[in-house]
Amino acid sequence: MPGESDTAPATTVSTRLPPYSDEAEKGVLGSVLQDADIMDQCVENHLRPESFYAPAHRIIFETLLDMSQKRHPIDVLTVSNRLRENGSMDKIGGELYLHRLIDSTPTTAHAGYYIETVWHKHVLRRIIACARTAENDCYTPDEDALSLLGRVEQSFFDITDINRAAAASWPDM
């Protein structure tokens, strides 16, 4: 019947995990721990701490990014020291976890693939978040539909702006 799809009840599957790849996140971090120059690829491809889904991975990447921006040497020992200094070592699972990241990364040659996968999963999570916000706002309309539509459109456009914001936040060398 015409118009039925407009009124059909929405089904929400809340048991689904957001898109992410634990293996790719580990691959990025393990690659950087083995070859600090890979941080340049991470920055060029707009990875940020929030690009990582796993909280431990976010903390590690934030530490790597900070060390890279300050041009500090990056390896498992220096990163371990930094995580201990800032009280984050227990949050990431200890020094053994950093060694596991290296062990779980068969080669740094595929770092570009890992970086791209993490980035794409991050964008998908952002799209989902915008869609959920838009859906919720539609059920509690405090504004007219066209104003809401404009705000929703802008939130989706802002997803593409994360490329520019990430690039702009990296200091000139």
Side-chain angles (χ1 to χ4, degrees):
M1 292 188 167
E4 274 190 42
S5 63
D6 291 345
T7 59
T11 56
T12 304
V13 180
S14 61
T15 57
R16 292 190 285 189
L17 285 175
Y20 82 103
S21 171
D22 194 57
E23 295 81 9
E25 290 186 8
K26 288 177 179 177
V28 169
L29 300 172
S31 293
V32 173
L33 287 170
Q34 292 179 61
D35 180 356
D37 291 338
I38 291 173
M39 272 308 293
D40 292 339
Q41 288 180 49
C42 293
V43 171
E44 290 167 8
N45 287 280
H46 313 293
L47 286 190
R48 311 181 305 193
E50 55 271 15
S51 300
F52 292 81
Y53 179 75
H57 297 165
R58 261 188 235 131
I59 291 168
I60 295 167
F61 188 78
E62 186 172 32
T63 301
L64 293 169
L65 185 60
D66 181 61
M67 292 175 72
S68 179
Q69 288 173 337
K70 293 177 180 172
R71 296 196 171 138
H72 292 164
I74 294 174
D75 61 33
V76 73
L77 297 176
T78 59
V79 173
S80 292
N81 287 337
R82 177 63 60 89
L83 289 166
R84 261 195 285 305
E85 288 169 5
N86 67 22
S88 298
M89 186 59 86
D90 290 338
K91 294 176 187 174
I92 64 117
E95 189 172 341
L96 180 60
Y97 190 72
L98 294 176
H99 289 283
R100 286 186 182 152
L101 289 173
I102 292 171
D103 292 342
S104 69
T105 307
T107 177
T108 61
H110 300 140
Y113 174 79
Y114 307 142
I115 291 166
E116 184 177 328
T117 301
V118 169
W119 170 249
H120 284 282
K121 300 296 184 180
H122 175 225
V123 171
L124 290 173
R125 290 192 307 274
R126 293 279 311 261
I127 292 168
I128 290 168
C130 283
R132 284 186 179 150
T133 299
E135 179 184 26
N136 288 334
D137 290 351
C138 286
Y139 285 104
T140 56
D142 293 335
E143 59 190 309
D144 68 54
L146 292 178
S147 294
L148 178 61
L149 177 60
R151 202 165 39 80
V152 168
E153 286 176 337
Q154 186 59 51
S155 70
F156 279 96
F157 289 135
D158 289 345
I159 292 173
T160 59
D161 287 343
I162 59 179
N163 280 342
R164 286 181 286 235
S169 67
W170 186 253
D172 294 329
M173 297 204 176

